[in-house]
Amino acid sequence: MPHPALSEQDYQRLSSILARFADQQCMNLEQLDGFFAALLSGPQAIPPAECLPLILGEAFDDESAFPSEKSLEQFVALLRGHWQDIANALSGGEFQPWLDADANGAVLGNDWCEGFVSGMELLNDDWGMLFESAENAPLLEPILALGFERHPDAEMRPFVEAISAEQREAWLAAISPSVHGIHNFFAAIRRQLEREEQDLEQQERRPH
């Protein structure tokens, strides 16, 4: 049965739940979107339930965070729904990042890109395959530029001077094609590995 996409009301509920734990280092919806996009487009998909400590931050260990087991189950169901929405967009549609405007009405994209970087860090070694690909490594440039723009260590920031509005707009526009390109890159690697495993199994079944 096809997964029904989350409704606007579902996303409002998910956003409000995440915002409730903002002071406990919980991800907001924009960060969560980038985080899930990294997990789904990268080397290996990690189910949302396994990432709850990273998503909820300190709220994960707060027994009062959810008033009942049912409310926690409903939250996890919303996470899975958003996860599946992204998976569907990557496999057969057009992925568009969830980018919220700040208090001044500006769309900066830092939260989304920082969430994506957090997802990369879970399988850091495997992401090395993309960094080592001269053809595909540039796909990461807009994400890393905005993902490290606010890094607390100034030496980790890619630019000393402020990013121009034009450059930011260009990087934000590049996120969608970059994520699709990253997804295609790792999907091709997985298909190749599957073919090699099938060939090995066939060889082992042949009589000697």
Side-chain angles (χ1 to χ4, degrees), residues 5-171:
L6 291 188
S7 65
E8 183 177 346
Q9 184 178 14
D10 289 329
Y11 276 110
Q12 289 175 350
R13 288 173 54 210
L14 177 56
S15 180
S16 64
I17 293 172
L18 296 171
R20 204 168 74 219
F21 308 125
D23 60 349
Q24 294 176 284
Q25 287 75 56
C26 177
M27 293 183 183
N28 59 36
L29 185 52
E30 183 176 338
Q31 291 168 325
L32 178 70
D33 192 78
F35 182 66
F36 279 179
L39 298 186
L40 281 162
S41 65
Q44 177 182 342
I46 301 175
E50 295 184 16
C51 303
L52 281 177
L54 288 172
I55 295 169
L56 288 170
E58 296 175 3
F60 178 76
D61 295 318
D62 185 352
E63 295 181 358
S64 64
F66 293 91
S68 66
E69 185 174 341
K70 183 178 180 180
S71 64
L72 175 58
E73 291 174 353
Q74 291 172 337
F75 171 66
V76 173
L78 289 171
L79 289 180
R80 287 177 178 150
H82 183 41
W83 168 272
Q84 193 60 52
D85 282 349
I86 295 176
N88 290 346
L90 287 173
S91 62
E94 182 180 358
F95 172 78
Q96 291 295 336
W98 186 288
L99 302 174
D100 288 322
D102 65 9
N104 297 318
V107 175
L108 302 177
N110 299 108
D111 282 353
W112 192 95
C113 293
E114 288 167 5
F116 194 99
V117 170
S118 295
M120 292 174 61
E121 290 173 346
L122 293 181
L123 296 169
N124 196 50
D125 290 342
D126 291 336
W127 278 90
M129 292 184 287
L130 180 56
F131 282 96
E132 293 167 3
S133 169
E135 180 181 356
N136 295 282
L139 293 168
L140 285 169
E141 288 180 2
I143 296 172
L144 297 181
L146 296 175
F148 285 91
E149 182 186 7
R150 305 186 301 193
H151 198 283
D153 183 352
E155 294 185 358
M156 293 294 292
R157 300 172 195 163
F159 303 97
V160 176
E161 299 180 357
I163 297 173
S164 69
E166 293 77 15
Q167 179 63 79
R168 185 180 302 278
E169 184 176 351
W171 279 331

